Amino acid sequence: MSEILTISEVQIKGKKAKEASSYLISNTTDEKNEALLLIADQLLKDKGHILLENLKDLREGKENGLTKEVLDRIMLNESRIEDMSDAIRLLVGLKDPIGETIESITKENGLLIQKKRVPLGVIGMIYEARPNVTVDAATLSLKTGNAAILRGSSSAKYSNKVLMQSIHKALEKSVISVDAVQLIEDTSRETAKELFTLNKYLDVLIPRGGKSLIQTVVSESTVPVIETGAGNCHIYIDASAEFEMAKEIVLNAKIQRPSVCNAIESILIHEDWFAIHGQSIIESLLEKNVTIFGDKVVVGASDSVKAATLDDWSTEYLGLSVSMKVVANVEDAVTHINEYGTGHSESIITKDAEIANLFLNTVDAAAVYHNASTRFTDGFEFGYGAEIGISTQKLHARGPMGLQALTSSKFVIQGTGQIRK
């Protein structure tokens, strides 16, 4: 008896997405925007059902011992759903990059050579926790004429499924095929590994989550990868920094939402500034229940500070913990950041413009700040409507990835019978 060949969910949905992508390029901006507005409306209509399904994820998460920081990333409420809908409406108002002429040259022989923006094709996403990524990835992909295959984590499986149901209900009312956005419902490791090598259907794979997930995808994928997510972000307080400004920025960057990748995980402080304000900045953090892991100088300033290990300098806590180190100058701060940072977001607080420029020009990161919180590294804050992730690599895209980051290009050449001699 011959074996029956079973086709996996990944293969079936990959094929559908690939077929849908070939038609997306012909959809007009108005048609894509109409579909996006339908999705924005549908999310609000389905708000009650979405919240009920999200509660299932939260209950299972608590039973499975997930931390409150992870639960916060999973949690949806009315405000967050409304924010997702608003982000889609902002996306609708943004210029459609597809078809844009990037370069144009007319040769002496009359050939017109133009470089135009085109979709990437089929975008694969592997992500942890945050169900809002389901909506962000789907809508950004559709706006840029890309199909999407999404694979979330088991910790948000109910939320992801119900959000995809809303997206599909909206697309059924549009001219865009529901096959253009696919959710892999099987959250086992096998489906993730299958996506790693789905070169036949995927044009790019984007991991969004913790360091372990990203490293696994980068090391095992044969599909081209855009690396995103891990954020071991720093703030350097220079000698001339104003205390109140430094305190407000540090507290915002650490505690406003500590579970996200643009929150700071390490504070570097000039030795002269620390001698005057060190005790106060430590107390300000301790009052907000932040655990501090410090070097010898910081430990010596407070009995409440724990001694940092070498691992602390490279740890992304994603919670109310922070490492703290005293340095001699801005050069030492830059050296430390470039050794332990993840290329995400780094900030300097100083009155000295020359020192600020040295920091901004020499720190190797996607986003560098002067006298501002790192919490602004975000697609919405940068005016992109939403983001598919924050790229920490240098090729193709870097920083918050909006519409242009989800495009490629091709040359279109118009002739009148020219031949090369």
Side-chain angles (χ1 to χ4, degrees):
M1 186 175 178
S2 61
E3 292 185 2
I4 298 174
L5 182 63
T6 58
I7 303 175
S8 70
E9 178 192 7
V10 172
Q11 292 289 331
I12 292 170
K13 291 184 175 178
K15 185 174 186 293
K16 287 182 177 181
K18 189 69 173 178
E19 290 173 350
S21 72
S22 63
Y23 296 102
L24 280 170
I25 187 64
S26 62
N27 286 121
T28 67
T29 299
D30 286 343
E31 288 171 339
K32 291 186 290 186
N33 284 341
E34 180 186 3
L36 293 175
L37 289 172
L38 288 168
I39 294 171
D41 289 341
Q42 195 66 50
L43 289 174
L44 298 181
K45 290 177 185 175
D46 295 342
K47 191 189 304 180
H49 189 202
I50 292 169
L51 292 177
L52 285 174
E53 294 300 299
N54 182 247
L55 278 175
K56 293 180 183 178
D57 286 322
L58 294 175
R59 288 194 194 104
E60 284 194 4
K62 289 176 183 177
E63 291 170 1
N64 294 331
L66 295 183
T67 65
K68 62 181 181 180
E69 289 81 15
V70 174
L71 290 172
D72 175 65
R73 280 180 271 168
I74 295 169
M75 188 266 290
L76 295 176
N77 53 31
E78 289 198 13
S79 176
R80 289 185 180 182
I81 294 173
E82 288 166 3
D83 286 345
M84 286 192 284
S85 180
D86 289 343
I88 297 171
R89 296 179 197 284
L90 178 58
L91 189 60
V92 167
L94 296 179
K95 181 182 176 183
D96 184 353
I98 300 304
E100 175 189 356
T101 300
I102 305 169
E103 298 174 11
S104 181
I105 183 171
T106 302
K107 301 290 289 182
E108 291 178 359
N109 63 2
L111 274 183
L112 174 61
I113 303 173
Q114 293 182 310
K115 187 178 184 181
K116 294 180 175 289
R117 288 196 187 279
V118 296
L120 288 170
V122 182
I123 297 170
M125 281 283 297
I126 297 180
Y127 51 104
E128 295 174 327
R130 301 181 181 91
N132 66 287
V133 175
T134 301
V135 175
D136 290 348
T139 53
L140 282 163
S141 296
L142 290 174
K143 177 79 175 190
T144 48
N146 292 290
I149 301 176
L150 312 178
R151 192 272 190 188
S153 59
S154 59
S155 60
K157 60 181 181 291
Y158 298 112
S159 303
N160 290 332
K161 286 180 185 178
V162 73
L163 288 170
M164 187 56 64
Q165 288 167 11
S166 292
I167 292 169
H168 281 175
K169 278 191 283 186
L171 291 181
E172 285 171 355
K173 305 170 191 172
S174 78
V175 298
I176 294 176
S177 169
V178 295
D179 291 339
V181 185
Q182 301 283 343
L183 176 71
I184 304 301
E185 296 186 4
D186 181 351
T187 57
S188 65
R189 291 185 179 182
E190 286 70 28
T191 60
K193 289 182 178 180
E194 199 170 356
L195 281 172
F196 295 167
T197 56
L198 201 65
N199 298 66
K200 184 176 180 180
Y201 300 125
L202 288 182
D203 292 285
V204 66
L205 185 59
I206 304 173
R208 186 168 172 180
K211 185 177 180 180
S212 176
L213 169 69
I214 294 167
Q215 287 181 340
T216 300
V217 175
V218 169
S219 63
E220 296 185 17
S221 178
T222 58
V223 177
V225 173
I226 299 178
E227 185 176 347
T228 74
N232 185 22
C233 304
H234 301 72
I235 279 181
Y236 166 57
I237 304 175
D238 188 50
S240 66
E242 294 180 0
F243 173 74
E244 284 301 324
M245 177 188 287
K247 184 179 92 168
E248 291 303 313
I249 291 174
V250 164
L251 290 179
N252 176 263
K254 180 67 259 182
I255 69 172
Q256 196 253 348
R257 197 174 176 194
S259 65
V260 294
C261 61
N262 57 20
I264 60 164
E265 308 292 11
S266 191
I267 304 166
L268 307 175
I269 304 176
H270 191 288
E271 57 189 8
D272 293 343
W273 195 93
F274 188 83
I276 301 170
H277 303 295
Q279 196 80 35
S280 297
I281 199 72
I282 289 171
E283 289 175 1
S284 296
L285 288 161
L286 293 174
E287 285 173 4
K288 300 295 184 179
N289 299 314
V290 177
T291 301
I292 302 171
F293 298 92
D295 67 1
K296 289 182 180 179
V297 179
V298 179
V299 169
S302 173
D303 293 337
S304 299
V305 174
K306 299 181 179 181
T309 66
L310 193 60
D311 287 341
D312 283 302
W313 306 129
S314 56
T315 296
E316 185 182 15
Y317 299 107
L318 297 174
L320 288 176
S321 295
V322 71
S323 60
M324 185 180 290
K325 182 179 182 180
V326 175
V327 295
N329 48 47
V330 65
E331 290 84 1
D332 284 353
V334 170
T335 298
H336 180 97
I337 291 169
N338 286 344
E339 180 175 357
Y340 295 105
T342 53
H344 196 295
S345 302
E346 313 292 355
S347 181
I348 181 173
I349 307 172
T350 183
K351 291 181 183 178
D352 192 314
E354 186 176 343
I355 287 176
N357 286 331
L358 175 63
F359 181 94
L360 298 175
N361 291 332
T362 56
V363 164
D364 188 12
V368 287
Y369 292 82
H370 177 204
N371 292 343
S373 169
T374 57
R375 285 284 289 115
F376 289 103
T377 307
D378 173 86
F380 187 83
E381 292 291 342
F382 281 21
Y384 295 159
E387 68 188 34
I388 206 162
I390 298 173
S391 173
T392 53
Q393 65 185 42
K394 298 180 181 179
L395 292 179
H396 180 72
R398 198 177 195 194
M401 294 172 62
L403 297 176
Q404 289 192 359
L406 301 184
T407 67
S408 183
S409 63
K410 70 178 177 182
F411 287 96
V412 178
I413 303 95
Q414 302 281 358
T416 55
Q418 290 89 340
I419 59 172
R420 185 168 180 174
K421 297 178 181 178

